[in-house]
């Protein structure tokens, strides 16, 4: 993106100011996020025992909901598996419930095959505005520290977390975890496969520019409006060829400039997905705790469920303050 207008004089231009319109409800919701009853719900306690199997094999003692509750409790409060086991044991004892607690070995084993069961909390009234982006998560181990401090070459890499966000509700509606060499555009179709609702608008940054992204979105929703900034060297197609949405973006940028194109298309909404990724790293963490890929997928899925549940408790409504003009003599 180009620099803003008046870049050399922007220190004299006052920054936009916002205030929280629902501060009382937002503050109460922030306190509720630390309540244990938010994560240990009556539904989880009623479905604690696993249903009996009708096929051959051993009988499970804990349901998938019990495993999910224990893992969610640990990730929400930054605990390891053994500490999660101890916290849950003390909470159940204080509640006077005689329920068995999954031990850390059971949690580690069941996390490899756990499948998310949480659904979206509400059906949208209108087509979705989907925001897509990716960020990096470090893998367990020393990695970069050894290379920077001692010059030792480390083969440890990092994982790439792909997120799809509902711009209206702020809820993460799809996610994927890949290795560091996977391109962003290749994960558009897997993310859209997790979304059953109609998509009205799709917004992403320039890394997703290209026919594969446009084709994947239009296969899902033929009437979707796609907002992706084309490359600086992009050229519109010849007049004889059918004009698509990307050609319209290229022509608009060439005619009015990139800044006006951003304002006319609402590209600034993409900042919400940046906020969601920052919220994930700030609350869940910048590093994956699990070591195997299946367990890392479970960790990410539960982390996304935690953020969505926190969003239900408290979401601020920011409104822009009116600018005050300086008094003149």
């Amino acid at each position: 993106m180009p620099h803003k207008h008046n870049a050399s004089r922007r220190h004299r231009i006052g920054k936009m100011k916002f205030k929280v319109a629902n501060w009382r409800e937002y503050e109460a919701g922030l306190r509720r996020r630390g309540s244990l009853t938010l994560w240990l719900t009556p539904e989880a306690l009623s479905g604690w025992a696993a249903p009996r199997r009708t096929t051959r094999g051993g009988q499970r003692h804990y349901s998938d909901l019990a495993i999910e509750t224990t893992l969610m409790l640990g990730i929400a409060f930054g605990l390891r598996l053994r500490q999660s086991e101890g916290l849950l044991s003390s909470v159940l004892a204080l509640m006077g419930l005689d329920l068995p607690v999954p031990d850390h070995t059971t949690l580690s084993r069941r996390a490899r095959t756990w499948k998310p069961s949480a659904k979206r909390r509400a059906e949208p009234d209108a087509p979705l505005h989907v925001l897509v982006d990716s960020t990096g998560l470090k893998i367990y181990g020393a990695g970069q520290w050894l290379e920077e401090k001692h010059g030792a070459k480390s083969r440890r890499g990092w994982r790439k977390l792909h997120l799809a966000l509902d711009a209206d509700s702020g809820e993460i509606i799809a996610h994927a975890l890949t290795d560091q060499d996977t391109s962003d555009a290749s994960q558009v179709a897997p993310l859209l496969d997790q979304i059953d609702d109609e998509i009205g608008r799709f917004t992403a940054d320039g890394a997703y520019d290209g026919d594969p992204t446009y084709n994947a979105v239009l296969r899902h929703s033929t009437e979707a409006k796609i907002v992706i900034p084309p490359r600086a060297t992009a050229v519109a197609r010849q007049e004889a060829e059918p004009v698509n949405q990307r050609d319209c973006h290229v022509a608009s940028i060439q005619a009015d400039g990139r800044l006006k194109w951003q304002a006319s298309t609402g590209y600034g909404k993409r900042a919400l997905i940046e906020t969601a990724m920052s919220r994930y790293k700030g609350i869940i963490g910048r590093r994956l705790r699990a070591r195997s890929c299946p367990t890392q997928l479970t960790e990410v899925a539960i982390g996304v469920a935690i953020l969505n549940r926190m969003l239900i408790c408290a979401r601020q409504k920011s409104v822009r303050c009116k600018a005050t003009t300086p008094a003149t003599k």
Side-chain angles (χ1 to χ4, degrees), residues 5-24:
H5 291 304
N6 304 318
S8 60
R9 303 185 297 274
R10 288 199 63 83
H11 63 282
R12 299 182 180 179
I13 302 175
K15 293 184 179 180
M16 293 186 296
K17 295 183 179 180
F18 297 84
K19 66 178 181 180
V20 180
N22 60 333
W23 175 250
R24 180 174 299 181

Side-chain angles (χ1 to χ4, degrees), residues 212-237:
T213 301
Y214 281 84
N215 295 336
V217 176
L218 294 178
R219 278 197 302 267
H220 186 279
S221 301
T222 56
E223 301 297 329
K225 184 177 180 180
I226 304 174
V227 180
I228 299 176
R231 299 180 179 87
T233 57
V235 179
R237 300 184 183 184

Side-chain angles (χ1 to χ4, degrees), residues 15-325:
K15 293 184 179 180
M16 293 186 296
K17 295 183 179 180
F18 297 84
K19 66 178 181 180
V20 180
N22 60 333
W23 175 250
R24 180 174 299 181
E25 296 82 3
Y26 181 60
E27 186 180 24
L30 291 178
R31 290 194 298 266
R32 187 168 178 261
R33 288 180 180 181
S35 173
L36 292 176
T37 58
L38 177 64
W39 314 104
L40 202 62
T41 60
E43 292 79 6
L45 297 177
S46 61
W48 196 261
R52 295 199 59 83
R53 298 184 57 170
T54 57
T55 58
R56 300 180 61 182
Q59 172 66 29
R60 287 183 172 181
H61 296 284
Y62 310 100
S63 63
D64 289 339
L65 187 57
I67 299 297
E68 177 184 356
T69 301
T70 310
L71 293 176
M72 185 177 290
L73 191 66
I75 294 178
F77 292 95
L79 303 176
R80 303 299 180 182
L81 295 181
R82 289 178 174 84
Q83 286 75 30
S84 302
E85 177 186 353
L87 175 62
L88 185 58
S89 300
S90 61
V91 171
L92 293 179
L94 292 174
M95 297 175 64
L97 298 175
D98 187 16
L99 292 176
V101 178
D103 58 90
H104 58 276
T105 55
T106 301
L107 293 174
S108 178
R109 183 181 67 256
R110 293 280 298 274
R112 303 171 190 170
T113 58
W114 177 84
K115 300 297 182 181
S117 58
K119 301 296 182 180
R120 297 197 65 209
R121 64 176 184 267
E123 293 295 331
D125 298 332
L128 296 175
H129 181 186
V130 178
L131 310 174
V132 172
D133 206 348
S134 66
T135 186
L137 297 176
K138 295 181 180 180
I139 301 178
Y140 178 86
Q144 296 178 356
W145 169 254
L146 288 178
E147 186 172 352
E148 181 178 352
K149 184 68 176 179
H150 303 289
K153 295 296 181 181
S154 174
R155 291 181 291 179
R156 293 188 183 275
W158 44 278
R159 301 293 186 197
K160 186 181 288 189
L161 175 62
H162 307 263
L163 297 178
L165 185 79
D166 181 2
D168 298 325
S169 65
E171 182 181 1
I172 300 175
I173 55 180
H175 67 277
L177 187 69
T178 62
D179 56 23
Q180 59 189 22
D181 299 324
T182 303
S183 64
D184 293 344
S186 65
Q187 295 302 305
V188 173
L191 289 175
L192 297 182
D193 290 340
Q194 304 176 33
I195 303 174
D196 298 330
D197 304 312
E198 188 72 14
I199 296 177
R201 180 184 291 262
F202 179 92
T203 304
D205 59 14
Y208 295 86
D209 181 35
D211 290 337
T213 301
Y214 281 84
N215 295 336
V217 176
L218 294 178
R219 278 197 302 267
H220 186 279
S221 301
T222 56
E223 301 297 329
K225 184 177 180 180
I226 304 174
V227 180
I228 299 176
R231 299 180 179 87
T233 57
V235 179
R237 300 184 183 184
Q238 301 297 328
E239 295 181 359
E241 299 181 8
V243 179
N244 54 19
Q245 296 190 46
R246 186 174 185 271
D247 295 335
C248 297
H249 293 324
V250 174
S252 177
I253 291 176
Q254 291 176 350
D256 301 326
R258 193 169 289 262
L259 289 176
K260 288 187 177 180
W261 173 85
Q262 293 181 30
S264 62
T265 57
Y267 181 72
K269 277 277 190 179
R270 203 188 65 83
L272 296 176
I273 187 68
E274 300 282 354
T275 303
M277 294 187 298
S278 176
R279 187 165 63 246
Y280 184 96
K281 291 186 175 182
I283 297 177
I284 308 302
R286 299 176 177 269
R287 184 187 299 274
L288 292 169
R289 306 171 187 174
R291 305 193 184 188
S292 63
C293 186
T295 315
Q296 290 172 355
L297 293 173
T298 299
E299 180 181 343
V300 168
I302 292 181
V304 168
I306 289 174
L307 293 181
N308 288 336
R309 183 169 295 188
M310 286 184 173
L311 191 67
I312 297 175
C313 291
R315 185 187 182 190
Q316 63 179 3
K317 297 179 181 179
S318 299
V319 294
R320 184 178 175 181
C321 301
K322 294 182 179 180
T324 55
T325 57

